[in-house]
Amino acid sequence: MVTALAFEGVEVWGEHLDGLNNEEYEVACPQCDEEIFIAFGQYGTFTTLDSMYMNDSGSKQLPLLPADPADLTGVGKRLHDRAIADHHPDVAEKLTYVFGRADCPACGERFGVEEAISARWSG
């Protein structure tokens, strides 16, 4: 799917879908520009400012708000549908967080995870 997205010219997702395997993305808050880690895997589903969150440092963690699969559109819907069709429900679930909402642990701003990821790598 990543190769197909790259050939179709789908910016960002054709090149940076690897965060799904790593179960995290590092992005800047669109409001305060603070660096945030968005985790969605074995350590939970949350945002934090702590790059060492996997060591259970007790850092502030705010829960991610997953997208409802029925509400996904565009590339999010395509990726989710493909993951389901290919019998990868774990990937499909991760995608609901990648295309969901998050709160910045620094300023409290709620933002779209996809938009923050795209802003990091577009251009």
Side-chain angles (χ1 to χ4, degrees), residues 18-20 22-26 37-40 51 53-54:
D18 58 330
L20 283 175
N22 299 334
E23 299 181 332
E24 76 170 20
Y25 280 98
E26 184 177 359
F37 291 88
I38 298 174
F40 47 90
S51 65
Y53 63 84
M54 68 288 300

Side-chain angles (χ1 to χ4, degrees), residues 15-58:
E15 298 176 22
H16 297 286
L17 205 53
D18 58 330
L20 283 175
N21 291 330
N22 299 334
E23 299 181 332
E24 76 170 20
Y25 280 98
E26 184 177 359
V27 301
C29 171
Q31 178 66 32
C32 70
D33 211 34
E34 188 72 40
E35 290 297 308
I36 301 168
F37 291 88
I38 298 174
F40 47 90
Q42 67 178 333
Y43 301 105
T45 55
F46 55 87
T47 59
T48 185
L49 301 174
D50 183 6
S51 65
M52 298 303 293
Y53 63 84
M54 68 288 300
N55 293 333
D56 196 20
S57 63

Side-chain angles (χ1 to χ4, degrees), residues 49-95:
L49 301 174
D50 183 6
S51 65
M52 298 303 293
Y53 63 84
M54 68 288 300
N55 293 333
D56 196 20
S57 63
S59 62
K60 183 177 183 179
Q61 298 178 350
L62 298 176
L64 292 177
L65 306 166
D68 182 331
D71 294 336
L72 290 173
T73 61
V75 71
K77 178 174 177 35
R78 287 178 56 202
L79 291 169
H80 188 271
D81 289 352
R82 178 83 274 159
I84 294 296
D86 290 344
H87 308 289
H88 294 289
D90 55 329
V91 173
E93 181 181 9
K94 290 176 187 178
L95 286 163

